[in-house]
PDB file of all heavy atoms in Angstrom:
ATOM      1  N   PRO A   2     138.380  45.991  48.409  1.00  0.00           N
ATOM      2  CA  PRO A   2     137.518  47.139  47.933  1.00  0.00           C
ATOM      3  C   PRO A   2     136.159  46.610  47.575  1.00  0.00           C
ATOM      4  O   PRO A   2     135.964  45.564  47.083  1.00  0.00           O
ATOM      5  CB  PRO A   2     138.304  47.623  46.689  1.00  0.00           C
ATOM      6  CG  PRO A   2     139.074  46.447  46.232  1.00  0.00           C
ATOM      7  CD  PRO A   2     139.379  45.607  47.465  1.00  0.00           C
ATOM      8  N   GLY A   3     135.143  47.551  47.768  1.00  0.00           N
ATOM      9  CA  GLY A   3     133.783  47.210  47.441  1.00  0.00           C
ATOM     10  C   GLY A   3     133.542  47.439  45.992  1.00  0.00           C
ATOM     11  O   GLY A   3     134.163  48.269  45.320  1.00  0.00           O
ATOM     12  N   ILE A   4     132.445  46.818  45.457  1.00  0.00           N
ATOM     13  CA  ILE A   4     132.112  47.037  44.039  1.00  0.00           C
ATOM     14  C   ILE A   4     131.549  48.404  43.798  1.00  0.00           C
ATOM     15  O   ILE A   4     131.596  48.748  42.628  1.00  0.00           O
ATOM     16  CB  ILE A   4     131.172  45.921  43.599  1.00  0.00           C
ATOM     17  CG1 ILE A   4     129.881  45.965  44.408  1.00  0.00           C
ATOM     18  CG2 ILE A   4     131.764  44.564  43.720  1.00  0.00           C
ATOM     19  CD1 ILE A   4     128.735  45.047  43.885  1.00  0.00           C
ATOM     20  N   TRP A   5     131.118  49.041  44.839  1.00  0.00           N
ATOM     21  CA  TRP A   5     130.519  50.377  44.682  1.00  0.00           C
ATOM     22  C   TRP A   5     131.482  51.471  45.279  1.00  0.00           C
ATOM     23  O   TRP A   5     131.107  52.472  45.783  1.00  0.00           O
ATOM     24  CB  TRP A   5     129.197  50.554  45.263  1.00  0.00           C
ATOM     25  CG  TRP A   5     128.218  49.470  44.797  1.00  0.00           C
ATOM     26  CD1 TRP A   5     127.700  48.410  45.483  1.00  0.00           C
ATOM     27  CD2 TRP A   5     127.615  49.454  43.461  1.00  0.00           C
ATOM     28  NE1 TRP A   5     126.837  47.726  44.791  1.00  0.00           N
ATOM     29  CE2 TRP A   5     126.798  48.294  43.535  1.00  0.00           C
ATOM     30  CE3 TRP A   5     127.750  50.166  42.301  1.00  0.00           C
ATOM     31  CZ2 TRP A   5     126.012  47.877  42.478  1.00  0.00           C
ATOM     32  CZ3 TRP A   5     126.931  49.788  41.211  1.00  0.00           C
ATOM     33  CH2 TRP A   5     126.175  48.651  41.288  1.00  0.00           C
ATOM     34  N   SER A   6     132.816  51.180  45.251  1.00  0.00           N
ATOM     35  CA  SER A   6     133.715  52.007  46.039  1.00  0.00           C
ATOM     36  C   SER A   6     133.754  53.406  45.546  1.00  0.00           C
ATOM     37  O   SER A   6     134.108  54.400  46.246  1.00  0.00           O
ATOM     38  CB  SER A   6     135.150  51.510  45.879  1.00  0.00           C
ATOM     39  OG  SER A   6     135.549  51.331  44.467  1.00  0.00           O
ATOM     40  N   GLU A   7     133.347  53.746  44.274  1.00  0.00           N
ATOM     41  CA  GLU A   7     133.301  55.111  43.780  1.00  0.00           C
ATOM     42  C   GLU A   7     132.386  56.005  44.575  1.00  0.00           C
ATOM     43  O   GLU A   7     132.356  57.216  44.593  1.00  0.00           O
ATOM     44  CB  GLU A   7     133.100  55.225  42.255  1.00  0.00           C
ATOM     45  CG  GLU A   7     131.698  54.590  41.871  1.00  0.00           C
ATOM     46  CD  GLU A   7     131.694  53.162  41.498  1.00  0.00           C
ATOM     47  OE1 GLU A   7     132.608  52.498  42.100  1.00  0.00           O
ATOM     48  OE2 GLU A   7     130.826  52.753  40.740  1.00  0.00           O
ATOM     49  N   TYR A   8     131.360  55.236  45.178  1.00  0.00           N
ATOM     50  CA  TYR A   8     130.339  55.994  45.967  1.00  0.00           C
ATOM     51  C   TYR A   8     130.720  56.191  47.428  1.00  0.00           C
ATOM     52  O   TYR A   8     129.873  56.562  48.213  1.00  0.00           O
ATOM     53  CB  TYR A   8     128.972  55.334  45.837  1.00  0.00           C
ATOM     54  CG  TYR A   8     128.435  55.404  44.374  1.00  0.00           C
ATOM     55  CD1 TYR A   8     128.539  54.267  43.530  1.00  0.00           C
ATOM     56  CD2 TYR A   8     127.996  56.539  43.817  1.00  0.00           C
ATOM     57  CE1 TYR A   8     128.050  54.256  42.220  1.00  0.00           C
ATOM     58  CE2 TYR A   8     127.471  56.638  42.517  1.00  0.00           C
ATOM     59  CZ  TYR A   8     127.631  55.465  41.727  1.00  0.00           C
ATOM     60  OH  TYR A   8     127.093  55.581  40.396  1.00  0.00           O
ATOM     61  N   GLU A   9     131.887  55.736  47.835  1.00  0.00           N
ATOM     62  CA  GLU A   9     132.342  55.939  49.146  1.00  0.00           C
ATOM     63  C   GLU A   9     132.722  57.383  49.481  1.00  0.00           C
ATOM     64  O   GLU A   9     132.983  57.661  50.629  1.00  0.00           O
ATOM     65  CB  GLU A   9     133.520  54.995  49.492  1.00  0.00           C
ATOM     66  CG  GLU A   9     133.114  53.528  49.470  1.00  0.00           C
ATOM     67  CD  GLU A   9     134.277  52.594  49.705  1.00  0.00           C
ATOM     68  OE1 GLU A   9     135.430  53.046  49.497  1.00  0.00           O
ATOM     69  OE2 GLU A   9     134.069  51.361  49.979  1.00  0.00           O
ATOM     70  N   PHE A  10     132.828  58.223  48.463  1.00  0.00           N
ATOM     71  CA  PHE A  10     133.188  59.602  48.653  1.00  0.00           C
ATOM     72  C   PHE A  10     131.945  60.381  48.836  1.00  0.00           C
ATOM     73  O   PHE A  10     131.145  60.430  47.925  1.00  0.00           O
ATOM     74  CB  PHE A  10     133.992  60.147  47.423  1.00  0.00           C
ATOM     75  CG  PHE A  10     135.405  59.489  47.315  1.00  0.00           C
ATOM     76  CD1 PHE A  10     135.559  58.290  46.608  1.00  0.00           C
ATOM     77  CD2 PHE A  10     136.426  60.187  47.860  1.00  0.00           C
ATOM     78  CE1 PHE A  10     136.852  57.736  46.628  1.00  0.00           C
ATOM     79  CE2 PHE A  10     137.741  59.640  47.800  1.00  0.00           C
ATOM     80  CZ  PHE A  10     137.887  58.407  47.146  1.00  0.00           C
ATOM     81  N   GLN A  11     131.798  60.966  50.042  1.00  0.00           N
ATOM     82  CA  GLN A  11     130.586  61.675  50.399  1.00  0.00           C
ATOM     83  C   GLN A  11     130.591  63.048  49.826  1.00  0.00           C
ATOM     84  O   GLN A  11     131.575  63.750  49.853  1.00  0.00           O
ATOM     85  CB  GLN A  11     130.475  61.781  51.946  1.00  0.00           C
ATOM     86  CG  GLN A  11     130.413  60.430  52.551  1.00  0.00           C
ATOM     87  CD  GLN A  11     129.155  59.638  52.260  1.00  0.00           C
ATOM     88  OE1 GLN A  11     128.069  60.230  52.021  1.00  0.00           O
ATOM     89  NE2 GLN A  11     129.234  58.342  52.146  1.00  0.00           N
ATOM     90  N   PRO A  12     129.507  63.569  49.226  1.00  0.00           N
ATOM     91  CA  PRO A  12     129.415  64.777  48.441  1.00  0.00           C
ATOM     92  C   PRO A  12     129.212  66.058  49.297  1.00  0.00           C
ATOM     93  O   PRO A  12     129.184  67.152  48.714  1.00  0.00           O
ATOM     94  CB  PRO A  12     128.308  64.606  47.480  1.00  0.00           C
ATOM     95  CG  PRO A  12     127.393  63.718  48.227  1.00  0.00           C
ATOM     96  CD  PRO A  12     128.234  62.793  49.120  1.00  0.00           C
ATOM     97  N   SER A  13     128.988  65.992  50.570  1.00  0.00           N
ATOM     98  CA  SER A  13     128.573  67.179  51.373  1.00  0.00           C
ATOM     99  C   SER A  13     129.250  67.113  52.726  1.00  0.00           C
ATOM    100  O   SER A  13     129.786  66.133  53.187  1.00  0.00           O
ATOM    101  CB  SER A  13     127.053  67.249  51.435  1.00  0.00           C
ATOM    102  OG  SER A  13     126.591  66.112  52.160  1.00  0.00           O
ATOM    103  N   PHE A  14     129.131  68.283  53.399  1.00  0.00           N
ATOM    104  CA  PHE A  14     129.632  68.493  54.660  1.00  0.00           C
ATOM    105  C   PHE A  14     128.570  68.079  55.685  1.00  0.00           C
ATOM    106  O   PHE A  14     127.383  68.128  55.441  1.00  0.00           O
ATOM    107  CB  PHE A  14     129.991  69.971  54.954  1.00  0.00           C
ATOM    108  CG  PHE A  14     131.129  70.428  54.086  1.00  0.00           C
ATOM    109  CD1 PHE A  14     130.861  71.174  52.945  1.00  0.00           C
ATOM    110  CD2 PHE A  14     132.399  70.160  54.414  1.00  0.00           C
ATOM    111  CE1 PHE A  14     131.876  71.733  52.179  1.00  0.00           C
ATOM    112  CE2 PHE A  14     133.466  70.626  53.653  1.00  0.00           C
ATOM    113  CZ  PHE A  14     133.242  71.373  52.511  1.00  0.00           C
ATOM    114  N   VAL A  15     128.937  67.658  56.872  1.00  0.00           N
ATOM    115  CA  VAL A  15     128.056  67.412  58.023  1.00  0.00           C
ATOM    116  C   VAL A  15     128.527  68.207  59.213  1.00  0.00           C
ATOM    117  O   VAL A  15     129.735  68.631  59.267  1.00  0.00           O
ATOM    118  CB  VAL A  15     127.930  65.877  58.311  1.00  0.00           C
ATOM    119  CG1 VAL A  15     127.429  65.140  57.142  1.00  0.00           C
ATOM    120  CG2 VAL A  15     129.279  65.314  58.819  1.00  0.00           C
ATOM    121  N   LEU A  16     127.670  68.408  60.137  1.00  0.00           N
ATOM    122  CA  LEU A  16     128.028  69.049  61.429  1.00  0.00           C
ATOM    123  C   LEU A  16     128.290  68.020  62.471  1.00  0.00           C
ATOM    124  O   LEU A  16     127.351  67.129  62.753  1.00  0.00           O
ATOM    125  CB  LEU A  16     127.001  70.025  61.858  1.00  0.00           C
ATOM    126  CG  LEU A  16     126.714  71.232  60.879  1.00  0.00           C
ATOM    127  CD1 LEU A  16     125.611  72.153  61.538  1.00  0.00           C
ATOM    128  CD2 LEU A  16     127.966  71.982  60.594  1.00  0.00           C
ATOM    129  N   GLY A  17     129.364  68.028  63.152  1.00  0.00           N
ATOM    130  CA  GLY A  17     129.637  67.101  64.219  1.00  0.00           C
ATOM    131  C   GLY A  17     129.830  67.861  65.565  1.00  0.00           C
ATOM    132  O   GLY A  17     130.128  69.090  65.564  1.00  0.00           O
ATOM    133  N   PHE A  18     129.530  67.200  66.649  1.00  0.00           N
ATOM    134  CA  PHE A  18     129.628  67.848  67.953  1.00  0.00           C
ATOM    135  C   PHE A  18     130.408  66.928  68.931  1.00  0.00           C
ATOM    136  O   PHE A  18     130.184  65.790  68.958  1.00  0.00           O
ATOM    137  CB  PHE A  18     128.213  68.088  68.441  1.00  0.00           C
ATOM    138  CG  PHE A  18     127.446  69.150  67.657  1.00  0.00           C
ATOM    139  CD1 PHE A  18     126.579  68.662  66.611  1.00  0.00           C
ATOM    140  CD2 PHE A  18     127.578  70.466  67.828  1.00  0.00           C
ATOM    141  CE1 PHE A  18     125.998  69.603  65.748  1.00  0.00           C
ATOM    142  CE2 PHE A  18     126.912  71.403  67.017  1.00  0.00           C
ATOM    143  CZ  PHE A  18     126.070  70.906  65.947  1.00  0.00           C
ATOM    144  N   HIS A  19     131.297  67.568  69.664  1.00  0.00           N
ATOM    145  CA  HIS A  19     132.151  66.928  70.546  1.00  0.00           C
ATOM    146  C   HIS A  19     132.033  67.413  71.934  1.00  0.00           C
ATOM    147  O   HIS A  19     132.177  68.633  72.119  1.00  0.00           O
ATOM    148  CB  HIS A  19     133.657  67.115  70.064  1.00  0.00           C
ATOM    149  CG  HIS A  19     134.696  66.393  70.819  1.00  0.00           C
ATOM    150  ND1 HIS A  19     135.107  65.112  70.493  1.00  0.00           N
ATOM    151  CD2 HIS A  19     135.343  66.715  71.861  1.00  0.00           C
ATOM    152  CE1 HIS A  19     135.994  64.767  71.362  1.00  0.00           C
ATOM    153  NE2 HIS A  19     136.219  65.728  72.251  1.00  0.00           N
ATOM    154  N   GLY A  20     131.733  66.527  72.897  1.00  0.00           N
ATOM    155  CA  GLY A  20     131.640  67.021  74.269  1.00  0.00           C
ATOM    156  C   GLY A  20     133.024  66.934  74.971  1.00  0.00           C
ATOM    157  O   GLY A  20     133.808  65.989  74.781  1.00  0.00           O
ATOM    158  N   CYS A  21     133.327  68.027  75.610  1.00  0.00           N
ATOM    159  CA  CYS A  21     134.664  68.140  76.192  1.00  0.00           C
ATOM    160  C   CYS A  21     134.636  69.170  77.308  1.00  0.00           C
ATOM    161  O   CYS A  21     133.632  69.851  77.630  1.00  0.00           O
ATOM    162  CB  CYS A  21     135.721  68.538  75.204  1.00  0.00           C
ATOM    163  SG  CYS A  21     135.378  70.148  74.309  1.00  0.00           S
ATOM    164  N   ASP A  22     135.802  69.404  77.919  1.00  0.00           N
ATOM    165  CA  ASP A  22     135.898  70.489  78.910  1.00  0.00           C
ATOM    166  C   ASP A  22     136.019  71.783  78.134  1.00  0.00           C
ATOM    167  O   ASP A  22     136.580  71.960  77.061  1.00  0.00           O
ATOM    168  CB  ASP A  22     137.208  70.319  79.740  1.00  0.00           C
ATOM    169  CG  ASP A  22     137.237  71.240  80.909  1.00  0.00           C
ATOM    170  OD1 ASP A  22     136.725  70.858  82.008  1.00  0.00           O
ATOM    171  OD2 ASP A  22     137.780  72.386  80.801  1.00  0.00           O
ATOM    172  N   LYS A  23     135.395  72.802  78.747  1.00  0.00           N
ATOM    173  CA  LYS A  23     135.358  74.156  78.098  1.00  0.00           C
ATOM    174  C   LYS A  23     136.741  74.696  77.826  1.00  0.00           C
ATOM    175  O   LYS A  23     136.896  75.312  76.720  1.00  0.00           O
ATOM    176  CB  LYS A  23     134.604  75.122  78.996  1.00  0.00           C
ATOM    177  CG  LYS A  23     134.321  76.518  78.279  1.00  0.00           C
ATOM    178  CD  LYS A  23     133.529  77.414  79.108  1.00  0.00           C
ATOM    179  CE  LYS A  23     133.222  78.723  78.412  1.00  0.00           C
ATOM    180  NZ  LYS A  23     132.381  79.641  79.295  1.00  0.00           N
TER     181      LYS A  23
END
Side-chain angles (χ1 to χ4, degrees):
I4 61 172
W5 306 110
S6 57
E7 64 270 25
Y8 295 104
E9 292 176 343
F10 290 84
Q11 300 293 327
S13 61
F14 297 99
V15 299
L16 298 182
F18 296 91
H19 182 90
C21 60
D22 191 89
K23 186 175 181 180

